[in-house]
């Protein structure tokens, strides 16, 4: 398909300022686009994460590797291609292979943005080299925008795969707009419909381009809506694209290690009657519609729309200079305004020069900006309007990745805007009249373009401004943290966690790297769901591999437990209420443990923790991740827990001070000997965190903070027991981590450069993980 094929028939109603495109023999510069994509891919490989990272990275890498189901709606297409990427010998580790998939997806997307930009310039610039420069500008700007770059060097979610689908659909639609009555036009529409459906099975954003495609069809070829056979073919292709969802009930009934939502009516094995049942359909639709998240209707705004626009603007500013530590706010604001002007100029020039493709791309930009902002209906952003503090509801993390498609596609308009400025400045150095199609236009000379070319250096600003913040090269701290947390748990122990960042990395460590699979990870957020409780009951007991475990556990008498950690049937588990009011003076008792909950109501997760204590303890040790904060205190177990490394171990009797057990204000009892052995001989994140240069994501900074706090409290405990030299060493290591995170001032290291080492010294000025128990 070429522009020349149909432009003469459409130039009157969709004309351009410069020429009738029928006179142009346009052929896409596929080789140049491929080279641009290759350079982008190499950039991402250089800055690629070698392993997993915070948030959903671990969940998706592990789910792909075990062919499981990540959180609803389950992203079946990603799981399938992620599984393929995970077993291909394209990188030394599974995590890196799936990270390469993210890099490749974004690089291919950049190639298509090159082609779209070049296509718009066809009716503007007569020379191919000029159009190649324009396409290259789009690639450079879009590929190095912070969120695009940061998400392309680790497979945190499925967004880069969605991006490549969007870019392909964009290119196909732009080409269809050139020749809507050509011999292949109908097949292109059917292909677009299929890609829309297939994209939806990767992520709901797969449908983002659908409204814009509809607008383009109605304007460029309105009679299409009257051709019922074509409409039926497109609908069939769309439905066929959705078929990867059919794999979910099948795979769920094989009970993979990660089986979120569990959309099957089968309980113990896959069978015909339970697979094709009303219960399977009910659970599948609940999963498909993301019912467990309970998001409100669009009419119920979670924040004022003006605030939601403000969130987008904040993330837009990040793209050109990710000033994570607020060191250059003026420069960041100035760059954001400049690039916003470029985008507006580019959109205006797109309208002026190529209205055919604008009827698709313009509505697409609207959908991915204002439309998406309204549809997502976010609360205030995690980093937005810090002066409001907790007075407004906030997202648990920054959601800039939801606008990755917007920031990437806007590179087309930003490049067109920059090209317009380049041409304008070049005209000042001399221009000639040039024949373009049937028109004679004024065109800057080649020498004039060269003289004005320093202006194009602004396209490199995101590359240099974002390199440090976007790159994940050499970062192993998340995997190290998972290993440290699991190794803080004694063999066959139950580890209670509370959120994404203290759970998903553990899934990755266990299922992908095979680390400490003997440990049962019980996440309290997920224990409130029926499907997660069923998985807990179904989980096999894995053998503890002493040879690969920490040296301090070698030679111990670790008896392998039998059966699930809770003695309960599936029906009994499903019948558990989500919450019950805490009876007055209620207490849980087992042997010498008497726990009075400090909760107004006992959630299903709390009940399950008590049940595990009832049925599995002390045969299985119970440990609370220190990320759980005061949760064991809320359960009334404060007298029975002692800190060991990254966990609090539940003891069968009230904890009393001894040579090894020291009481730390705000922390409680600490096993100094075990904690020191873990810190010195087992933990690895203490080194990888100290090697970092900042921590960009403020929402997950609690993980490195935990190491700092753990080190401070351990140093104080060592000081109290007279181990002065070790205390100084641990304190200095904590300071190194805080400094590497650029948070030394927050922890007061600038005010108190050394730790008091006298036994019983006052550490009230030190930031501690937990409030004193008497404040509860």
């Amino acid at each position: 398909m070429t522009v020349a094929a149909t432009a003469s028939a459409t130039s009157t109603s969709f004309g351009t300022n410069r020429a009738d495109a029928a006179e142009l023999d346009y052929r896409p510069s596929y080789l140049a686009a491929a080279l641009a994509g290759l350079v982008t891919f190499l950039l991402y490989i250089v800055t690629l994460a070698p392993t997993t990272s915070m948030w959903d990275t671990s969940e998706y890498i592990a789910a792909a590797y075990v062919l499981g189901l990540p959180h609803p709606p389950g992203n079946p297409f990603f799981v399938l291609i992620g599984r393929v990427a995970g077993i291909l010998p394209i990188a030394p580790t599974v995590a890196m292979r799936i990270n390469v998939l993210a890099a490749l997806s974004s690089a291919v997307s950049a190639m298509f943005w090159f082609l779209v930009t070049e296509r718009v310039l066809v009716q503007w610039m007569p020379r191919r080299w000029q159009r190649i420069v324009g396409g290259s500008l789009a690639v450079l700007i879009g590929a190095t925008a912070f969120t695009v770059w940061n998400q392309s060097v680790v497979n945190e979610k499925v967004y880069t795969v969605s991006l490549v689908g969007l870019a392909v659909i964009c290119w196909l639609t732009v080409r269809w707009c050139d020749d809507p009555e050509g011999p292949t036009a109908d097949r292109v529409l059917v292909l677009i419909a299929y890609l829309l459906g297939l994209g939806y099975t990767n992520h709901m954003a797969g449908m983002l381009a659908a409204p814009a495609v509809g607008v383009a069809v109605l304007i460029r070829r309105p009679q299409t809506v009257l051709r019922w056979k074509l409409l039926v073919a497109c609908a069939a292709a769309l439905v066929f694209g959705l078929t990867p969802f059919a794999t979910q009930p099948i795979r769920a009934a094989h009970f993979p290690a990660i089986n979120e939502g569990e959309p099957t009516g089968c309980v113990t094995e896959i069978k015909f009657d339970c697979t094709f049942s009303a219960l399977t359909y009910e659970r599948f639709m609940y999963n498909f519609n993301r019912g467990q998240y309970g998001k409100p209707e669009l009419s119920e705004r979670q924040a004022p729309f003006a605030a939601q626009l403000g969130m987008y603007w904040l993330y837009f500013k990040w793209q050109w200079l990710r000033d994570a530590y607020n060191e250059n706010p003026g420069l960041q604001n100035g760059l954001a305004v400049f690039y916003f002007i470029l985008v507006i100029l580019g959109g205006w020039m797109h309208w002026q020069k190529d209205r055919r493709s604008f009827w698709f791309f313009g509505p697409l930009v609207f959908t991915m900006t204002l439309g998406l902002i309204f549809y997502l209906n976010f609360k205030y952003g995690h980093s937005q309007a810090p002066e409001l503090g907790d007075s407004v509801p906030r997202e648990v993390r920054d959601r800039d990745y939801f606008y990755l498609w917007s920031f990437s596609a806007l590179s087309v308009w930003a490049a067109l805007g920059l090209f317009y400025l380049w041409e304008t400045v070049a005209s000042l150095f001399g221009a000639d009249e040039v024949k373009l199609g049937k028109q004679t236009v004024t065109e800057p000379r080649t020498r004039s373009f060269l003289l004005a070319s320093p202006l194009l250096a602004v396209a490199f600003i995101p590359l240099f401004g974002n390199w440090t913040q976007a790159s994940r090269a050499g970062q192993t701290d998340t995997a190290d943290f998972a290993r440290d947390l699991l190794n803080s748990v004694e063999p066959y122990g139950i580890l209670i966690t509370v959120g994404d960042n203290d759970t998903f990395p553990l899934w990755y460590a266990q299922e992908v790297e095979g680390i400490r699979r003997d440990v049962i990870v019980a996440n309290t957020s997920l224990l409130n769901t029926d499907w997660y409780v069923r998985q807990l009951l179904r989980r096999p007991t894995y053998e503890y591999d002493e040879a690969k475990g920490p040296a301090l556990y070698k030679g111990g008498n670790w008896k392998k437990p039998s059966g699930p950690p809770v003695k309960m049937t599936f029906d009994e588990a499903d019948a558990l209420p989500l919450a019950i009011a805490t009876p007055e003076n209620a207490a849980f008792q087992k042997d010498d443990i008497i726990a009075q909950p400090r909760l107004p109501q006992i959630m299903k997760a709390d009940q399950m923790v008590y049940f595990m204590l009832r049925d599995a303890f002390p045969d299985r040790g119970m440990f609370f991740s220190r990320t759980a904060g005061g949760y064991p205190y809320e359960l009334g177990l404060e007298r029975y827990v002692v800190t060991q490394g990254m966990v609090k171990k539940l003891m069968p009797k009230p904890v009393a001070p001894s040579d090894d057990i020291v009481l730390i204000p705000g922390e409680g009892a600490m096993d100094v000997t075990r904690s020191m052995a873990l810190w010195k001989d087992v933990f690895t994140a203490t080194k990888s965190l100290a090697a970092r240069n900042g921590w960009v994501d403020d929402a997950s900074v609690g993980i490195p903070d935990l190491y700092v706090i753990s080190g401070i409290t351990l140093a104080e405990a060592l000081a109290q027991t007279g181990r002065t030299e070790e205390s100084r060493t641990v304190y200095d290591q904590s300071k190194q981590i805080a400094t590497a995170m650029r948070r030394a001032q927050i922890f007061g290291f600038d005010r108190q450069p050394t730790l008091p080492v006298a036994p019983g010294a006052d550490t009230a000025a030190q930031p501690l993980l937990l409030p004193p128990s008497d404040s509860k």
Side-chain angles (χ1 to χ4, degrees), residues 52-54 150 325 468-480 685-697 700-701 704 736-742:
T52 189
S53 294
M54 286 295 163
N150 189 251
Y325 309 104
T468 301
Q469 313 292 0
S471 173
R472 299 181 191 253
Q475 295 179 6
T476 63
D477 38 77
T478 299
D480 294 339
T686 50
K687 300 179 182 63
S688 54
L689 286 172
R692 288 286 294 267
N693 181 20
W695 189 276
V696 178
D697 177 42
S700 63
V701 77
Q736 289 173 9
I737 297 172
T739 303
M741 298 301 108
R742 302 194 183 187

Side-chain angles (χ1 to χ4, degrees), residues 63-77:
Y65 184 67
V66 303
L67 210 61
L69 282 78
H71 63 261
N75 318 99
F77 180 67

Side-chain angles (χ1 to χ4, degrees), residues 39 42-48 140 144-146 149-150 153 318-322 460-473 475 693 696:
V39 171
L42 293 176
L43 170 67
Y44 292 157
I45 291 298
V46 169
T47 55
L48 193 76
L140 179 59
T144 58
F146 169 75
W149 190 352
N150 189 251
V153 294
W318 287 4
Q319 302 314 303
W320 325 114
L321 177 63
R322 180 65 172 98
F460 288 87
I461 290 175
L463 174 65
F464 295 105
N466 291 329
W467 187 295
T468 301
Q469 313 292 0
S471 173
R472 299 181 191 253
Q475 295 179 6
N693 181 20
V696 178

Side-chain angles (χ1 to χ4, degrees), residues 114-132:
F114 177 104
L115 293 171
V116 171
T117 307
E118 182 198 36
R119 166 62 195 86
V120 177
L121 288 169
V122 164
Q123 305 197 123
W124 181 357
M125 289 289 113
R127 300 180 181 89
R128 179 180 289 268
W129 71 266
Q130 296 168 325
R131 302 194 293 267
I132 289 176

Side-chain angles (χ1 to χ4, degrees), residues 422-493:
W422 185 35
E423 180 191 33
T424 301
V425 173
S427 299
L428 301 177
F429 294 102
D432 297 316
E433 291 187 347
V434 177
K435 192 76 173 179
L436 183 61
K438 294 179 179 180
Q439 296 184 16
T440 300
V441 299
T442 301
E443 178 71 26
R445 301 169 188 145
T446 300
R447 179 177 177 276
S448 300
F449 274 113
L450 291 175
L451 290 173
S453 60
L455 177 65
L456 302 183
V458 299
F460 288 87
I461 290 175
L463 174 65
F464 295 105
N466 291 329
W467 187 295
T468 301
Q469 313 292 0
S471 173
R472 299 181 191 253
Q475 295 179 6
T476 63
D477 38 77
T478 299
D480 294 339
F481 160 70
R483 189 179 300 108
D484 293 349
L485 182 53
L486 287 170
N487 281 332
S488 294
V489 178
E490 294 171 359
Y492 302 113

Side-chain angles (χ1 to χ4, degrees), residues 380 385 388-394:
Y380 277 82
L388 297 178
D390 294 330
S391 65
V392 294
R394 293 185 179 275

Side-chain angles (χ1 to χ4, degrees), residues 523-593:
N523 177 284
T524 55
S525 298
L526 299 179
L527 278 172
N528 287 317
T529 66
D530 294 341
W531 56 266
Y532 188 69
V533 173
R534 290 193 295 270
Q535 289 178 37
L536 188 67
L537 299 179
R538 198 183 289 121
R539 187 183 189 275
T541 301
Y542 294 95
E543 193 79 34
Y544 172 62
D545 189 346
E546 187 175 276
K548 294 182 179 180
L552 74 164
Y553 299 144
K554 290 185 177 179
N557 184 24
W558 309 112
K559 181 181 178 182
K560 182 179 179 180
S562 60
V566 176
K567 293 179 172 59
M568 181 182 293
T569 67
F570 291 109
D571 289 338
E572 290 171 339
D574 290 343
L576 284 175
L578 178 61
I580 58 174
T582 305
E584 188 175 354
N585 298 322
F588 170 88
Q589 181 172 0
K590 179 175 182 179
D591 299 331
D592 291 332
I593 295 177

Side-chain angles (χ1 to χ4, degrees), residues 27 69 109 131 150 179 186 213 230 275 311 321 602 698 707 725:
R27 294 292 186 276
L69 282 78
S109 304
R131 302 194 293 267
N150 189 251
D179 194 5
D186 289 353
V213 172
L230 177 59
T275 300
M311 177 199 281
L321 177 63
I602 299 177
D698 181 69
Y707 279 90
E725 199 60 39

